[in-house]
Amino acid sequence: MATCGDESVSIWLRTDDEILAAFRKVEAGRSLKPETWPNRARVAVALSVDVDNQSAEVVEGKGPAFVSLGHYGARRGLERLIDVFDRHCVPATFFMPAMSLMSEPGMAQAIARAGHHEIGLHGWVHELPTDLTKSQHRKLLTKSADCLERLTGTRPVGYRAPAAVVAEHTYPLLKELGLLYSSSLLSDDVPFEVNLDGAPDGMIEIPMCFGLEDSQLATPFSGFANAFPPSEVLKIFKDEFDIAYEEGTCAVMVLHPHVSGQRSRIGVIDAFLAHMASKPDVWFATHQQLAECARQQL
Ligand SMILES: [Zn+2]
């Protein structure tokens, strides 16, 4: 690993080379977008659901009322999202902290029902990789993969970093674990190879889209007070997709059951899926399918 200088020294006081080394620690490398998408589609759409449930709040030491909002995701929100996906016959990838699934193992059957969804890793209890040593991170990733495999019957091939927090040791560990892809960064509209310290690492990244993330529908734990009205969010989602369609790139969406699964928010997802499905030549894929397509460019 290249040195980024003494980390106790403020970044602006370091040398230019040290600052550039900090930019290059984990970065987007070459594009892995194929010449054409499968079935000669104009755009690739990959829906994902981060099934945090209580994990994200418990790991932050929040009290029972905050934790209960996460529980709403498990009790109500998830089923609503699955129903909307079923109605439009589209696949999705569900990234799960292992403890969320252990607490509600019935979620595995609910997700498996459609026969085309994927389940991916999202930490043990939504812990941040930067809070872990490399060996703690390795242990938790391995334990999480074993747990998801035991409860779903399939070993996960993809990972999303909890809260999109990536540590220096995250990508080397994902490779060590034999994972196919990660979906934790925000640097592009198409899959790319991850560079570590400026050198290609061989790991496929399916970048998330900031404009297609659902926290705009409900600011976390401030209720709907500071959120955009659903009709405005639907417009943002449509604008993101329409340009992706025009440019021939990807629309990678990130949803949460306790946010998009609320009664006043689920209609946005339904209307957005209907909007995308109304266009010809749209390829709806799981993250795994998109990563397999990207792998051919490596
Ligand atoms: Zn999460």
Side-chain angles (χ1 to χ4, degrees):
M1 289 273 176
T3 174
C4 293
D6 180 354
E7 295 199 353
S8 65
V9 176
S10 301
I11 186 86
W12 58 89
L13 295 175
R14 296 185 218 163
T15 67
D16 295 355
D17 281 348
E18 286 171 349
I19 294 172
L20 286 174
F23 288 5
R24 305 261 138 82
K25 263 200 166 316
V26 178
E27 203 184 32
R30 69 185 161 130
S31 165
L32 298 179
K33 179 185 177 295
E35 192 84 4
T36 51
W37 296 113
N39 313 322
R40 307 197 73 75
R42 289 189 57 161
V43 66
V45 175
L47 307 170
S48 64
V49 182
D50 291 358
V51 192
D52 297 341
N53 297 349
Q54 298 100 319
S55 294
E57 303 317 307
V58 164
V59 84
E60 286 179 23
K62 296 271 178 66
F66 283 92
V67 174
S68 72
L69 179 54
H71 199 194
Y72 184 87
R75 290 172 70 89
R76 293 284 176 194
L78 183 71
E79 199 61 53
R80 269 192 202 118
L81 279 172
I82 291 172
D83 284 351
V84 170
F85 296 155
D86 281 354
R87 211 156 40 242
H88 295 276
C89 221
V90 290
T93 299
F94 295 78
F95 292 102
M96 290 202 165
M99 284 304 302
S100 294
L101 186 56
M102 205 128 74
S103 162
E104 310 275 348
M107 293 193 302
Q109 284 79 53
I111 291 168
R113 230 183 290 134
H116 55 193
H117 297 315
E118 175 197 0
I119 290 184
L121 294 162
H122 197 43
W124 179 250
V125 59
H126 212 269
E127 66 284 352
L128 304 186
T130 44
D131 289 341
L132 309 172
T133 63
K134 188 173 182 180
S135 109
Q136 286 170 331
H137 199 184
R138 178 187 289 112
K139 237 181 243 168
L140 287 173
L141 279 170
T142 308
K143 200 163 114 163
S144 303
D146 291 346
C147 175
L148 293 193
E149 183 176 12
R150 193 176 71 246
L151 294 175
T152 69
T154 306
R155 193 155 185 91
V157 298
Y159 171 78
R160 171 161 296 150
V165 173
V166 170
E168 222 175 293
H169 43 70
T170 299
Y171 283 95
L173 287 175
L174 300 183
K175 266 180 82 178
E176 200 182 297
L177 228 75
L179 294 189
L180 170 66
Y181 73 91
S182 156
S183 179
S184 309
L185 303 178
L186 296 143
S187 354
D188 208 335
D189 295 322
V190 292
F192 56 81
E193 180 178 11
V194 174
N195 281 4
L196 297 183
D197 293 323
D201 179 59
M203 179 55 79
I204 297 165
E205 175 71 23
I206 308 290
M208 300 180 284
C209 171
F210 195 55
L212 289 173
E213 206 273 343
D214 68 355
S215 55
Q216 338 176 45
L217 283 165
T219 318
F221 306 103
S222 306
F224 300 141
N226 299 313
F228 291 99
S231 55
E232 278 183 30
V233 176
L234 179 58
K235 185 174 179 326
I236 295 170
F237 288 171
K238 284 180 175 175
D239 288 348
E240 286 287 348
F241 171 77
D242 290 348
I243 303 280
Y245 190 80
E246 217 174 282
E247 293 180 344
T249 53
C250 298
V252 176
M253 190 168 213
V254 182
L255 305 173
H256 297 81
H258 68 275
V259 176
S260 294
Q262 298 279 347
R263 289 169 294 193
S264 57
R265 271 52 191 162
I266 193 71
V268 172
I269 309 306
D270 197 11
F272 181 50
L273 292 180
H275 174 75
M276 293 193 286
S278 71
K279 309 260 181 167
D281 304 320
V282 177
W283 180 44
F284 288 94
T286 60
H287 282 46
Q288 179 177 355
Q289 289 165 330
L290 189 50
E292 278 163 359
C293 172
R295 182 166 56 184
Q296 292 165 26
Q297 307 302 312
L298 263 180

